[in-house]
């Protein structure tokens, strides 16, 4: 027993050490990345990669007919972004609908159904990467590389561009423009995402991640298994008995298919671009997608990397570096709080299993990869939902009720804790505007933020963003709960709501799905079956609204602030640095989130927690 206690203490200590190491390394790379982002996001900026990419950049402008010296107003910038993203959706939909006729399809994957292709095209264009399918069983190599991985780059670049436009609006003085969308898009690709991902992919390959074009391997099993499958006739149609239920027959399984393909190239941008879509259905829990503890740590670090660097970029652009660090500290405090809560409840485990004789020191290992354990699973789950990444190395559906509440609430806050590339920065700035407005009301003065007056227009646009977030999550969740949007139950031929669990956990599965879709996260309480026409369609709609409808008022704020005159700090200026600002910002974030989503969370994970301690599971 003493030895077991020492092992538990040692593993707990390792968790604390790894958390500290993660924070230190993230802090270490924030300033260099922020300085490099300053160079990349300046249309006239010079980088060390200019000798390689500058000729290609100029050629791209000539081919596209872009005048790099001409800047856009917020309306023109937003329209260009919407047109670019819309064309990407149509292109991806077409590829997925005809992938069976295209090359690089060694497994002869069939075309996706219209609703699934629509859902997937919207999903990847919005940086959501929600997957109602199993990657290795659905997508050809061409679809993975051309239809999906390209969006991993372009949707990430769009997010960074929007953040840069908003920061330019804040920093500008009587300007009518916020930059050139096409210049931002090209420079982010050439000077940031492509070179970093090339190096990162090689590092992942060194850890054992695959990168090839081989057909899937088939290997014999050392132990054969017998399973039951529905019987079909000569034409492939299911055979039913007299009661209309499928006739089940035995099938011997003596081989296993091992996935191959261009994986490392997609995983690199999946993490750095906070996309999250898995090459395989098991995502980052798969040993090919996440081979070693080092690859696991690097993937977690890369999720936050660019979002963290953007806070330094903010400080430099507005000529107030302490403000950038204050925003970083607020994000970090919220992040650490989420990790500790999730880790605590996963380490505590399920009291019902303890009563059944399971050692409480084992914690909750359901749905977790034993290579990573409880701490790395809790840390990964918190990071991926703080950012709009959605990659997972454990199944969130198997988290304890309050352990699962953390990733769910992270998404509902808008994933503003470092957040998706760009999306995290412009998301938390909405809360900054709100916090400054509240501070102004407290002292009876017109709110000011970095020399710009926050007036009715900016407040209305900020409130519109927050209302859209809650409406796009809560309204379709309510509709899905009272309607049958799931698949057809083959045993009864009746429509179901698609949940794999009853009671509050089933409700949490639906709530998580629409939270993830609206927040452009892509992770799931995987007990929900969403590959049905209703779920595919409705979730695609809220993905699109959660991305682009929210960007419009954010860009309107950028345009409004850019036109305002910078004023010197006065007695009525609220300080946007220091402890008071950090606490006010955190309080605003948590209060707004609690007011919007606490009733729904009470019906889901909170009531499930108390029922679990009362002896009931779902």
């Amino acid at each position: 027993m003493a030895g077991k206690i020492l092992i538990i203490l040692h593993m707990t200590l390792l968790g604390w050490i790894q958390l500290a190491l993660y924070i230190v390394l993230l802090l270490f790379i924030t300033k260099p990345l922020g300085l490099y982002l300053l160079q990349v996001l300046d249309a006239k900026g010079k980088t060390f990669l200019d000798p390689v990419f500058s000729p290609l950049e100029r050629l791209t402008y000539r081919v596209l007919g872009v005048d790099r010296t001409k800047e856009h107003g917020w309306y023109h910038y937003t329209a260009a972004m919407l047109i670019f993203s819309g064309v990407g959706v149509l292109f991806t939909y077409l590829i997925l609908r005809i992938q069976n006729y295209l090359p690089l399809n060694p497994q002869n994957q069939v075309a996706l159904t219209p609703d699934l292709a629509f859902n997937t095209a919207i999903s990847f264009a919005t940086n959501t990467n929600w997957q109602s399918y199993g990657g290795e069983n659905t997508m050809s190599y061409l679809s993975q590389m051309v239809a999906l991985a390209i969006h991993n780059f372009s949707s990430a670049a769009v997010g960074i561009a929007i953040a840069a436009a908003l920061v330019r609006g804040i920093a500008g003085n009587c300007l009518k423009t916020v930059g050139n969308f096409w210049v931002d898009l090209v420079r982010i690709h050439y000077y940031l995402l492509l070179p970093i991902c090339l190096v990162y992919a090689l590092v992942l390959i060194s850890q054992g991640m695959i990168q090839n074009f081989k057909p899937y391997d088939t290997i014999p099993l050392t132990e054969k298994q017998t399973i039951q499958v529905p019987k079909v006739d000569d034409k492939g149609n299911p055979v039913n008995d007299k009661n209309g239920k499928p006739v089940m027959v035995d099938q011997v399984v003596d081989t296993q298919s091992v996935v191959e393909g261009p994986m490392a190239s997609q995983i690199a941008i999946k993490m750095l671009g906070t996309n999250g879509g898995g090459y395989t259905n098991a995502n980052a829990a798969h040993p090919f997608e996440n081979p070693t503890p080092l690859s696991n740590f690097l993937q977690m670090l890369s999720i936050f990397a660019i979002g963290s660097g953007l806070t330094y970029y903010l400080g430099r652009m507005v000529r107030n570096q302490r403000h950038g660090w204050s925003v970083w500290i607020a994000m970090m405090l919220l992040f650490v709080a989420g990790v500790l809560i999730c880790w605590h409840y996963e380490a505590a485990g399920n009291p019902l299993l303890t009563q059944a004789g399971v050692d409480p020191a084992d914690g909750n290992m359901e749905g977790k990869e034993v290579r990573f354990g409880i701490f790395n699973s809790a840390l990964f789950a918190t990071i991926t939902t703080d950012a709009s990444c959605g990659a997972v190395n454990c199944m969130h559906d198997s988290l304890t009720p309050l352990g699962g509440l953390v990733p769910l609430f992270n998404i509902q806050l808008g994933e503003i804790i470092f957040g998706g590339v760009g999306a995290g920065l412009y998301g938390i700035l909405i809360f900054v505007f709100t916090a400054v407005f509240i501070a102004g009301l407290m002292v009876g003065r017109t709110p000011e933020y970095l020399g710009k007056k926050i007036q009715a227009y900016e407040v209305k646009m900020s409130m519109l963003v927050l209302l859209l977030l809650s409406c796009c999550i809560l309204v379709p969740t309510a509709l899905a709960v009272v309607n049958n949007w799931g698949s057809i139950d083959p045993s009864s031929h009746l429509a179901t709501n698609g949940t794999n669990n009853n009671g509050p956990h089933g409700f949490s599965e639906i709530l998580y799905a629409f939270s993830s879709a609206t927040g452009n996260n892509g992770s799931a309480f995987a007990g929900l079956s969403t590959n049905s026409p209703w779920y595919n369609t409705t979730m695609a709609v809220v993905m699109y609204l959660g991305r682009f409808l929210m960007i419009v008022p954010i860009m309107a704020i950028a345009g409004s602030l850019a036109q305002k005159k910078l004023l010197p700090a006065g007695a009525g200026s609220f300080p946007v640095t220091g402890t008071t600002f950090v606490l006010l910002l955190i309080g605003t974030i948590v209060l707004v989130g609690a007011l919007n989503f606490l009733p729904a969370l009470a019906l889901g994970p909170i009531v499930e927690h108390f029922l679990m301690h009362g002896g009931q599971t779902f």
Side-chain angles (χ1 to χ4, degrees), residues 354-376:
T354 301
Q355 295 172 14
V358 175
D359 191 338
D362 293 336
N364 175 35
M365 280 299 295
E366 179 189 341
K368 295 180 177 63
E369 169 61 75
V370 293
R371 296 178 299 142
F372 303 134
I374 288 175
F375 172 75
N376 275 286

Side-chain angles (χ1 to χ4, degrees), residues 158-235:
V158 166
I160 297 172
I162 297 299
L166 179 57
V167 173
R168 291 183 194 125
I170 296 169
N173 187 15
C174 300
L175 299 177
K176 294 183 178 180
T177 61
V178 292
N180 185 309
F181 173 75
W182 304 110
V183 172
D184 287 340
L185 195 69
V186 169
R187 289 184 62 81
I188 291 167
H189 275 90
Y190 286 161
Y191 294 100
L192 180 66
L193 298 179
L194 284 171
I196 294 181
C197 287
L198 176 61
V199 175
Y200 189 23
L202 293 175
V203 172
L204 294 176
I205 291 171
S206 75
Q207 293 300 297
M209 193 174 294
I210 63 171
Q211 179 73 17
N212 58 49
F213 290 99
K214 293 171 54 181
Y216 292 3
D217 289 329
T218 301
I219 60 174
L221 296 177
T222 55
E223 295 183 3
K224 298 180 181 180
Q225 297 183 1
T226 301
I227 62 173
Q228 284 202 322
V229 298
K231 183 179 180 180
V232 296
D233 58 23
D234 295 338
K235 297 181 179 180

Side-chain angles (χ1 to χ4, degrees), residues 47-63:
T47 75
F48 71 97
L49 292 173
D50 275 29
V52 178
F53 289 109
S54 186
L56 186 58
E57 181 188 5
R58 291 193 298 269
L59 175 62
T60 304
Y61 295 146
R62 284 199 295 270
V63 171

Side-chain angles (χ1 to χ4, degrees), residues 145-162:
M145 293 189 300
V146 176
L148 305 186
I150 286 179
H151 273 305
N152 288 354
F153 282 92
S154 62
S155 62
V158 166
I160 297 172
I162 297 299

